[in-house]
Amino acid sequence: MLYYDLSKLNIDVCIVCETNLNSKIPDSYISNKSYKLARLDRNVCFCRKRNCDKTHRGGGVIIICRSSFTLEILDYNKDVESIWVRLYNHHYPKNNYIFNATYFPPKLPKSYNVKFSNYFIESYKLLNEKYPHANYFLGGDF
C-alpha cells in the first residue's frame, strides 16, 4: 500500500499523477488515518473521438499529506485534471503551503493547451491574491 511507503520513508506530502482511480475505489484503499488526501479522478474523455462520453483509463491526480496538516481543497478543474490544496498546521495557521497536482495528457489538440493555460494562470492569480505569502509547490505531468 502507498501509505506504508509514505510512512516508512517519513514523507509529509506526496503528489501522484495518473492514479487510474475511480469512484469505485475508496480512499481507505489508498491511505490510512495517518494521512489525508485530496483526489481528482478522471471523468473526461481525451480520446479525440467525436461525441465520445466514455471515461477512459488513466489520468487522475492525488495529493496526500500527513494527518497533522489541515488540508483544504481550494480549487479543481476536472476538464484539465488539476487540483489546488492548502496545507497548514493548526499551531501555525499563517504558514500556508499551496500545492497543485496536474496531469496533462499527451497528444491533445491545441485548444486544450489554451484551456489548461487559462485555468492554471487564473487559478494561480486568484490564489496568490488570497495567500500572497504562501509557499507554492507544483507537481505533476505537464
Side-chain angles (χ1 to χ4, degrees):
M1 293 289 230
L2 178 60
Y3 64 82
Y4 175 78
D5 291 334
L6 295 174
S7 296
K8 186 177 178 183
L9 297 170
N10 200 27
I11 303 294
D12 290 326
V13 181
C14 177
I15 296 173
V16 181
C17 291
E18 294 193 67
T19 60
N20 292 303
L21 298 175
N22 59 51
S23 60
K24 295 178 184 174
I25 302 171
D27 292 350
S28 61
Y29 282 22
I30 305 160
S31 186
N32 66 9
K33 293 178 182 178
S34 299
Y35 287 90
K36 297 176 182 177
L37 56 89
R39 64 190 254 190
L40 186 62
D41 301 342
R42 174 172 284 176
N43 74 332
V44 294
C45 173
F46 293 113
C47 75
R48 296 183 172 185
K49 294 179 184 174
R50 292 183 184 246
N51 302 318
C52 180
D53 60 355
K54 293 181 182 177
T55 301
H56 295 276
R57 280 181 23 119
V61 294
I62 191 168
I63 299 174
I64 305 169
C65 69
R66 285 197 183 277
S67 60
S68 58
F69 287 102
T70 298
L71 182 148
E72 175 186 358
I73 297 173
L74 299 174
D75 192 36
Y76 65 91
N77 187 313
K78 291 183 178 185
D79 290 336
V80 297
E81 294 188 65
S82 184
I83 187 168
W84 295 87
V85 301
R86 175 181 156 221
L87 301 180
Y88 63 94
N89 183 304
H90 69 278
H91 295 294
Y92 307 101
K94 291 185 179 181
N95 291 347
N96 291 297
Y97 301 94
I98 309 295
F99 283 81
N100 172 269
T102 295
Y103 174 64
F104 194 90
K107 301 178 185 174
L108 292 174
K110 288 184 180 180
S111 62
Y112 183 85
N113 294 346
V114 172
K115 180 190 269 190
F116 170 77
S117 296
N118 289 340
Y119 166 74
F120 198 83
I121 291 167
E122 288 305 311
S123 295
Y124 173 76
K125 284 181 183 177
L126 291 171
L127 292 171
N128 197 40
E129 285 176 15
K130 189 171 184 178
Y131 304 104
H133 302 292
N135 297 293
Y136 286 80
F137 300 89
L138 309 177
D141 184 351
F142 296 92

